[in-house]
Amino acid sequence: MKLDTPPPASGLKKDVLSRIECENICPRGRWFYRGKEFLVWTTWIITVLVAAVAVAISFFVIMHRQYAIFEATHDSFLALMLDVLPYLWLLVFAAAAILALYHFRNTKRGYRYSFLTIAGATVLSSFVGGLFFHYLGMSFVFDDALGKYLPGMYVSQAMQEKRFWQNPHDGRLLATLREETASGTTAIVVDAEGTQWEVNISELFPKDVALLREGKQVRILGSQPSGEDSSFHACGVFPWLYSKMMTMADFKHDREDAILRLHEHRDRMLERARETYQAAKEGVRSASGSDETMTLATSAIPESVDQSQTESQCGDIAAVKRLRD
Amino acid sequence: MELLTPDLDSRTDTDVVRATLADREQFGVLIERYETKLRRYIMRLGLRVPDDQDDVLQETFIKAYRNLNSFDTSLSFSSWIYRIAHNEAMTWFRRRSVRPEGNMVSDGDEVLEFIASTQDSPEVRFDLGLNAEEVTAALAKLDDKYREVLILRFFEHKEYDEISDILQIPIGSVGTLIHRGKKQLLTVLNHDAVRI
């Protein structure tokens, strides 16, 4: 049974050939298609490279920003991540990945691959490229160069970190040693804005003091005594990392070093608290005479001794408090 | 002048394409080889009026000639020109804001073979009391994406990779669309049967 029958071959051939002749239609040159294909692939490569740069800078930002002592600034690592996630670069990555996907789909054989395959390949290429750039230290170079050449439009990570550390009210100072007093308990430093500070370094560990004495720009973690505009109490000194290209091992070492020193501050504070508690206990024992009276009296001594009783300001800075809790 | 000598006719499409680039008259061979096939294909897509078919076919061949250098010899010429014809037909529907509804051009055996491929057993077909007209009507109700692959697979007898090249979709999607298309067709057929 025939539902319908196509008409017999018409004079289509004649019509087409005469139209080709009349309108002088010629096949487009091979160069046109090769150029088009080249353009599509080049655009794909460029978009993947942009995505890779975005990944590299995102890695750089996520892994380096305030990482060493995030306990000093955030409640948890997750809170730090949410705060420092480079949303702009993640957006750039997403846009570049979508464009790369589109361009790949428009290559000669692009349609043969499923959306997931192309998306996976694009994201994977971007990540591998990003990690490669990051491994080579290019992420620092990209970020720094963008900050230098696009002032007002782009704030480099080093600049953001600088702004973050130049914040004495929150217990952070980015400074360089100018001179140290004879007693060795006070140092005069100049911060990133040129302001001079009198810093109490009595609670610093020898390693911190040695670093400060190198005379290079350093990050000082501590507290600003209330009512004293130009004085600062130092609890830890850390190198300024953005003056040179750092490897992952350097950042890891920096983090371990910072944690170690925060633990040392915590241990020292707890030791002092224990000593204070014992001394208070002894005082009560000698004053009361009987065991019953002593039990009543020592119950009034709190288990965790207040910071004021330890005479250590460093035991009260946020980072140490978090470790203590 | 007669272009189609037995010697010329034995050439592959790719050979003719190469010859056309040197002598445009050779393009007539390709037109003759594909005019009937493409006319039937675009008719199945829903272009019923011969004049409209002529317009679409003329544009298809002109476009093919103009883009002859973009033909990738690693693919089949048939898929390539079917793709152009498909795109031209879709453009025609779009310009006229018409939804392609399909217009089966096939004999009863072809349609019954197609029905058999969509059924688990001949009994189902018997129970539904299907015939070619009903299947044609049901196909017209399918989503475009399903109807296109079903037409190419079961009426144009194209392989999956050819369908992939014609519709420019991944090969995996061809299988999925065929499977879903058959399922939708059964739903439509069952629905119509109940209504009757």
Side-chain angles (χ1 to χ4, degrees):
Chain A
M1 178 192 71
K2 290 273 178 198
L3 288 176
D4 203 347
T5 312
S10 61
L12 186 77
K13 183 178 103 178
K14 201 176 141 202
D15 293 343
V16 171
L17 290 177
S18 66
R19 199 176 141 194
I20 287 172
E21 194 170 351
C22 290
E23 295 178 20
N24 199 21
I25 297 169
C26 294
R28 282 195 189 109
R30 273 185 202 286
W31 60 267
F32 176 82
Y33 302 100
R34 283 184 185 155
K36 202 174 151 191
E37 192 70 1
F38 176 77
L39 199 71
V40 172
W41 275 108
T42 309
T43 319
W44 181 77
I45 291 168
I46 289 171
T47 44
V48 167
L49 279 177
V50 170
V53 169
V55 169
I57 297 180
S58 300
F59 268 126
F60 177 68
V61 171
I62 289 171
M63 297 175 95
H64 303 162
R65 191 173 169 190
Q66 302 146 31
Y67 173 62
I69 40 174
F70 68 80
E71 288 88 347
T73 54
H74 295 84
D75 290 331
S76 65
F77 186 67
L78 182 69
L80 167 84
M81 280 296 115
L82 289 175
D83 192 27
V84 304
L85 268 181
Y87 295 102
L88 171 72
W89 284 109
L90 291 179
L91 265 176
V92 169
F93 168 73
I98 290 168
L99 272 175
L101 203 90
Y102 172 80
H103 290 301
F104 189 89
R105 184 76 175 73
N106 281 294
T107 57
K108 205 178 236 176
R109 306 283 172 84
Y111 63 85
R112 287 193 167 188
Y113 304 93
S114 69
F115 173 82
L116 278 179
T117 309
I118 303 174
T122 304
V123 171
L124 194 72
S125 322
S126 309
F127 264 85
V128 170
L131 278 173
F132 185 65
F133 283 146
H134 188 61
Y135 177 76
L136 291 180
M138 297 298 283
S139 43
F140 170 81
V141 177
F142 290 139
D143 185 65
D144 199 46
L146 282 172
K148 274 180 191 158
Y149 296 111
L150 295 175
M153 285 174 72
Y154 184 84
V155 182
S156 70
Q157 194 51 42
M159 184 54 76
Q160 287 188 47
E161 199 75 353
K162 197 172 175 178
R163 284 178 188 169
F164 176 80
W165 276 95
Q166 181 57 41
N167 205 341
H169 295 293
D170 287 340
R172 295 182 294 272
L173 205 57
L174 183 62
T176 312
L177 179 73
R178 175 162 284 180
E179 60 183 277
E180 202 178 332
T181 58
S183 64
T185 56
T186 310
I188 306 297
V189 301
V190 179
D191 71 13
E193 288 168 358
T195 310
Q196 195 162 291
W197 293 84
E198 192 180 310
V199 181
N200 183 329
I201 56 170
S202 60
E203 282 199 74
L204 287 182
F205 290 100
K207 202 175 175 181
D208 293 318
V209 177
L211 188 63
L212 188 67
R213 280 180 183 154
E214 282 180 16
K216 292 177 184 167
Q217 198 168 37
V218 289
R219 294 170 293 165
I220 304 174
L221 184 68
S223 62
Q224 190 183 17
S226 53
E228 295 179 50
D229 280 348
S230 60
S231 44
F232 194 81
H233 189 95
C235 298
V237 177
F238 307 94
W240 175 240
L241 303 178
Y242 291 88
S243 54
K244 61 180 175 120
M245 214 156 74
M246 295 286 286
T247 64
M248 283 310 297
D250 291 334
F251 279 107
K252 196 178 168 205
H253 177 72
D254 182 51
R255 160 93 183 139
E256 285 166 357
D257 190 41
I259 290 292
L260 185 72
R261 266 178 290 166
L262 290 177
H263 275 277
E264 284 171 346
H265 274 297
R266 180 200 58 178
D267 294 343
R268 186 161 70 180
M269 192 279 297
L270 287 176
E271 185 56 37
R272 285 184 188 175
R274 248 193 304 277
E275 283 168 8
T276 311
Y277 180 76
Q278 284 299 330
K281 221 172 162 182
E282 287 302 319
V284 168
R285 190 193 296 275
S286 57
S288 63
S290 74
D291 279 354
E292 196 182 330
T293 319
M294 195 197 84
T295 309
L296 281 171
T298 49
S299 65
I301 301 171
E303 276 298 315
S304 65
V305 180
D306 189 75
Q307 164 61 32
S308 59
Q309 291 171 278
T310 65
E311 293 178 352
S312 165
Q313 288 192 42
C314 291
D316 201 34
I317 65 169
V320 176
K321 264 182 170 176
R322 286 197 181 99
L323 283 176
R324 201 174 67 193
D325 294 340
Chain B
M1 184 185 76
E2 180 58 63
L3 288 171
L4 287 176
T5 65
D7 179 41
L8 286 176
D9 230 8
S10 65
R11 291 178 302 174
T12 64
D13 289 340
T14 309
D15 291 338
V16 181
V17 168
R18 284 199 192 103
T20 303
L21 288 168
D23 172 16
R24 70 176 165 211
E25 290 296 316
Q26 297 291 315
F27 193 58
V29 178
L30 293 170
I31 297 174
E32 284 181 348
R33 282 185 188 178
Y34 284 95
E35 181 185 346
T36 309
K37 289 178 191 170
L38 293 180
R39 189 180 292 279
R40 192 160 45 214
Y41 175 55
I42 61 171
M43 195 184 284
R44 281 171 171 157
L45 287 176
L47 267 155
R48 297 171 192 181
V49 182
D51 283 350
D52 294 338
Q53 291 168 12
D54 280 341
D55 289 346
V56 169
L57 283 178
Q58 202 174 105
E59 281 310 310
T60 299
F61 284 114
I62 293 287
K63 204 163 256 180
Y65 180 73
R66 189 173 275 138
N67 293 292
L68 219 48
N69 273 317
S70 78
F71 166 57
D72 181 352
T73 49
S74 64
L75 301 175
S76 83
F77 180 80
S78 166
S79 299
W80 184 72
I81 202 153
Y82 261 79
R83 182 200 296 177
I84 299 173
H86 179 269
N87 290 343
E88 279 306 307
M90 292 305 128
T91 306
W92 187 91
F93 288 123
R94 222 175 8 254
R95 278 192 193 140
R96 281 154 187 79
S97 308
V98 182
R99 179 184 177 269
E101 289 184 345
N103 182 32
M104 289 303 114
V105 184
S106 41
D107 56 34
D109 289 345
E110 215 173 10
V111 176
L112 291 176
E113 189 187 316
F114 167 62
I115 296 166
S117 75
T118 64
Q119 304 290 333
D120 292 333
S121 68
E123 287 76 21
V124 181
R125 186 176 80 208
F126 180 76
D127 288 346
L128 288 171
L130 291 177
N131 60 39
E133 284 87 351
E134 279 166 6
V135 175
T136 303
L139 272 166
K141 290 179 185 170
L142 294 187
D143 292 345
D144 296 348
K145 58 184 177 183
Y146 297 139
R147 194 177 47 255
E148 284 169 6
V149 285
L150 291 180
I151 288 172
L152 284 167
R153 180 75 186 121
F154 297 103
F155 298 94
E156 297 293 332
H157 306 289
K158 297 288 180 191
E159 296 300 326
Y160 279 32
D161 58 341
E162 289 176 301
I163 298 173
S164 159
D165 291 336
I166 294 167
L167 298 179
Q168 295 200 291
I169 54 174
I171 293 179
S173 302
V174 174
T176 310
L177 288 173
I178 288 175
H179 178 72
R180 289 184 187 160
K182 282 179 174 179
K183 226 168 152 184
Q184 194 180 64
L185 183 73
L186 277 180
T187 311
V188 174
L189 286 170
N190 282 323
H191 181 262
D192 287 353
V194 169
R195 202 176 52 202
I196 289 162

